Amino acid sequence: MASPGSRDRPSGSPAFYASLPGKHVSAGCLLRDEHGDVLIVKPTYKASWEVPGGFDGGVLDATDLASITLPPDELSEWRLVPVEELGTYVIPAVARRLRACLTGSGAFLEEGVPTVPDRG
């Protein structure tokens, strides 16, 4: 059975995609080990490293790290990276976001730069 409104916007049609909001958003999961190093993953579909999807995942112990499995069609590897080396692996905006989260200043960011939300 079709959902309400699905006749107006059939999934997959050009009109449906044109009706979607133009802003792209994503969420990254901040995961660290007991030493404070940040977990990053290597997507198979692009050149730059990323953080896993989600939000703050906390600190992983050795058992947690040993149990990590990756979907091979999407991620080729993972590694722990010291905070000061993040810029070597991830794009600058992601490095800024991660550093802001680790310092507690990451509530509102645009391209990894803290902003003041418009409360007006």
Side-chain angles (χ1 to χ4, degrees), residues 40 49 79 81-92 95 99:
I40 59 174
W49 289 74
R79 70 177 56 184
V81 177
V83 174
E84 59 274 5
E85 294 179 22
L86 285 169
T88 304
Y89 294 92
V90 299
I91 63 172
R99 288 187 191 106

Side-chain angles (χ1 to χ4, degrees), residues 15-79:
F16 170 75
Y17 289 112
S19 73
L20 295 175
K23 186 172 273 194
H24 297 276
V25 297
S26 65
C29 184
L30 176 58
L31 293 163
R32 295 160 282 149
D33 70 0
E34 296 162 332
H35 306 286
D37 293 342
V38 177
L39 179 83
I40 59 174
V41 294
K42 178 73 172 109
T44 58
Y45 52 88
K46 64 181 183 178
S48 62
W49 289 74
E50 286 287 344
V51 294
F55 297 96
D56 187 347
V59 176
L60 303 174
D61 63 20
T63 303
D64 295 326
L65 292 169
S67 68
I68 293 175
T69 57
L70 302 175
D73 58 331
E74 186 176 348
L75 302 171
S76 62
E77 60 184 295
W78 67 269
R79 70 177 56 184

